[in-house]
């Protein structure tokens, strides 16, 4: 690997997809990566993300949040429970999220309204505790950005970004970050995004077990290397230089 120290800033190692061989997956990640950030998406996932981090100190770091698709139909008392869970573990996590708005999977107006309402709860929580915020925005990138800008959140990461180049530039102009997933290995739109935006605002992720760069194969954190390779190829840069910049970005934004 020649001194490459990649960070996967967003994955779901806590998901049941990894139950059969989670330890093997973590070992493969350790052999290639500097760190992995596991993102909780609800009460159970948040708890499991914390457990994984405690079992792998200095390598797996947890975030805690609530997925927007679930937020569109969740009971208010459940959202309150998640907020309490985050507040009682605020010193153990590196960010609030993922949280956000997903208008791709949620089409009805009431569901979208509830998503935005819930999103505001977690944005406010991140601002109050001066924590970075991990945003899931799909077909709602501009709306999510406008919402975040109403609050004083210190750092914002638009994870697995797939929106427009124009909105991407606005996000970076605000000093926020865009995370490029392993989709960039084969998606023309994601390649265009990488061509258009500077590395200084870029992070790398797998969103595993989803978005594998290898057809028919479950994604895993070690495969984030494919995203870094694709970015280096697209920008005609050395792999080590791309890695150095994106890793420094991740260390800075998550305080690693």
């Amino acid at each position: 690997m020649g001194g490459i120290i990649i960070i996967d800033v967003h994955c779901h190692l806590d998901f049941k997809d990894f139950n059969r061989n989670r330890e093997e997956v973590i070992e493969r990640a350790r052999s290639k990566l500097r760190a992995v950030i596991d993102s909780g998406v609800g009460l159970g996932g948040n708890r499991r993300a914390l457990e994984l981090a405690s079992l792998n100190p200095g390598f797996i770091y947890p975030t805690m949040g609530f997925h927007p698709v679930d937020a569109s139909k969740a009971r208010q008392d459940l959202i309150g429970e998640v907020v309490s869970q985050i507040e009682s573990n605020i010193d153990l996590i590196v960010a609030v999220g993922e949280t956000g708005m997903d208008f791709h999977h949620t089409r009805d107006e009431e569901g979208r309204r509830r998503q935005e309402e819930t999103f505001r709860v977690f944005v406010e929580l991140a601002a109050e505790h001066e924590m970075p915020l991990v945003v899931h925005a799909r077909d709602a990138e501009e709306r999510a950005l406008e919402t975040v800008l109403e609050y004083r959140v210190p750092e914002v990461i638009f994870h697995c970004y797939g929106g427009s180049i124009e909105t991407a530039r606005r996000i970076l102009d605000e000093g926020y970050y865009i995370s490029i997933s392993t989709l960039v290995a084969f998606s023309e739109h994601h390649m265009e995004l990488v061509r258009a935006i500077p590395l200084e605002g870029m992070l790398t992720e797998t969103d595993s077990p989803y978005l594998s760069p290898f057809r028919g194969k479950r994604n895993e954190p070690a495969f984030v290397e494919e995203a870094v390779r694709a970015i280096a190829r697209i920008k005609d840069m050395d792999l080590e230089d791309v890695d150095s910049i994106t890793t420094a970005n991740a260390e800075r934004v998550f305080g690693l």
Side-chain angles (χ1 to χ4, degrees), residues 2-132:
I4 296 168
I5 46 163
I6 305 166
I7 295 177
D8 180 0
V9 304
H10 195 102
C11 70
H12 302 285
L13 277 170
D14 59 285
F15 280 15
K16 66 179 185 297
D17 305 65
F18 293 108
N19 283 356
R20 190 172 49 82
N21 64 341
R22 186 174 285 106
E23 288 311 310
E24 287 172 40
V25 170
I26 291 171
E27 282 314 303
R28 281 196 290 273
R30 279 187 185 277
S31 72
K32 289 192 169 191
L33 310 185
R34 143 87 172 85
V36 166
I37 295 176
D38 189 270
S39 237
V41 293
L43 268 182
N46 290 342
R47 189 185 66 249
R48 290 190 297 272
L50 275 183
E51 286 170 4
L52 276 174
S54 70
L55 291 168
N56 298 273
F59 183 66
I60 296 179
Y61 296 87
T63 76
M64 298 172 82
F66 197 81
H67 200 280
V69 175
D70 298 328
S72 64
K73 48 191 183 294
R75 305 183 323 272
Q76 283 305 114
D77 61 327
L78 176 59
I79 292 161
E81 277 184 65
V82 173
V83 168
S84 297
Q85 181 190 41
I86 293 172
E87 288 187 316
S88 59
N89 292 286
I90 202 78
D91 294 335
L92 300 175
I93 63 175
V94 294
V96 171
E98 66 184 279
T99 178
M101 291 187 279
D102 189 320
F103 290 175
H104 177 81
H105 287 105
T106 302
R107 302 295 174 94
D108 64 292
E109 281 308 311
E110 174 59 15
R112 290 179 173 186
R113 186 193 65 74
R114 291 178 68 178
Q115 272 189 12
E116 183 166 357
E117 201 173 83
T118 303
F119 183 39
R120 287 179 180 277
V121 169
F122 291 103
V123 177
E124 198 168 344
L125 187 65
E128 181 188 336
H129 290 279
E130 299 183 333
M131 294 291 289

Side-chain angles (χ1 to χ4, degrees), residues 10 50 53 65 83 98 132 140 150 168 171 184 199 208 217 222-223 225:
H10 195 102
L50 275 183
V83 168
E98 66 184 279
E150 294 175 33
I171 289 167
V184 73
L199 270 179
S208 51
K217 201 170 182 182
F223 295 168
E225 181 188 357

Side-chain angles (χ1 to χ4, degrees), residues 199-217:
L199 270 179
E200 285 64 34
M202 219 180 276
L203 304 166
T204 55
E205 68 167 275
T206 60
D207 200 20
S208 51
Y210 312 118
L211 315 182
S212 178
F214 304 113
R215 192 180 296 278
K217 201 170 182 182

